[in-house]
Each structure stands twice: as structure tokens, then as C-alpha cells.
Amino acid sequence: MMSKHFINHDSFSLERNYTASPDRTYAAWSDPAIKANWFPKADEFEFRIGGREIVRGSEPGGPIYTSVAIYQEIVPDTRIVYTITIDKGETRISVSVVTVEFNSEGSGTKLVYTEQCAFLDGLDSLEDHMHGANAFLDELDKELNRAN
């Protein structure tokens, strides 16, 4: 008899070029007021090693999704590494390690976003994570262009 519990592992990496400098791009991730302009507003935002960022949300009439990021390493203007869990209601659906790198490219930033994922029991997917990451990286671009 096969267990109903299983894990699918996957990873992806996205690169974006922004006209903003690495310090401005990093600030958009580390400052809660700026981040709330391009990413869902956090219920809790503690940007420090060991700190948490908690975001809850749902579609109308749908289940509540809760993501909890815990910052594992922060090197200002250079990189952020965090783990993130995502729950659908009371059920954990994925666990990931995320690395965000801020590299100087001319007067702008080459951002590299890498996510290593464990999708639990078929309840989450690589496609959903890639879609979400692409969407918020597009919003980050809009925010950085607004700030110019």
C-alpha cells in the first residue's frame, strides 16, 4: 500500500535587470514600507537574521494561505537567504529555501532569485511558485521605476 504522503523536489532561478542600484533594490526588500508597495503587506516583518516575515491572504471565499519566511542570512546590498513555509489553512503545502542576490551591473542591479522547493503531498507546484515569483519581481520593477 502506498502512502498518501510524498514530496516532490524542484528548484528554479530567475534573473532580472533593474535600473536601480543594488542598495536601492536591496532596500525595497528590507524596508517594510517599501516592500508593501510591491509585495503583499506583511502581518509581521522582522528583517534580521532569525527574524520572521508573515503574510496571510486568500481569494474571496477561499482558504487562507499563510507564508512564514525566516531570515537565515543577510548581507546588506549583496544577498538575502531565507526559508519559507506555506500553509493552506492548517495544512503545510511547501517548504523552500530562497536566495536573493543583488549584483552590480553598470549603474543598475542584476537580481538573481533562486528557490529550492519541497512540495508536499501534491498540494503545491513549481508552476505556482514560478508564477508568483515572476509576478512579484515584475511589481518590484514597477516600484523601483516609480521611485526614480
Side-chain angles (χ1 to χ4, degrees), residues 73-88:
E73 186 186 47
I74 298 170
V75 179
D77 306 336
T78 303
R79 70 175 172 248
I80 303 167
V81 180
Y82 56 95
T83 54
I84 188 166
T85 59
I86 300 177
D87 297 342
K88 178 181 178 183

Side-chain angles (χ1 to χ4, degrees), residues 87-107:
D87 297 342
K88 178 181 178 183
E90 299 298 315
T91 303
R92 172 105 348 122
I93 63 173
S94 64
V95 180
S96 299
V97 175
V98 177
T99 304
V100 184
E101 300 169 81
F102 306 89
N103 302 300
S104 260
E105 187 143 303
S107 61

Side-chain angles (χ1 to χ4, degrees), residues 26 29-32 35 44-53 71 73-76 79-82 102:
Y26 171 85
W29 286 78
S30 61
D31 182 312
K35 192 167 186 183
E44 181 180 320
F45 191 95
E46 242 185 317
F47 191 77
R48 62 173 179 77
I49 294 174
R52 300 184 323 166
E53 180 177 352
Y71 294 101
E73 186 186 47
I74 298 170
V75 179
R79 70 175 172 248
I80 303 167
V81 180
Y82 56 95
F102 306 89

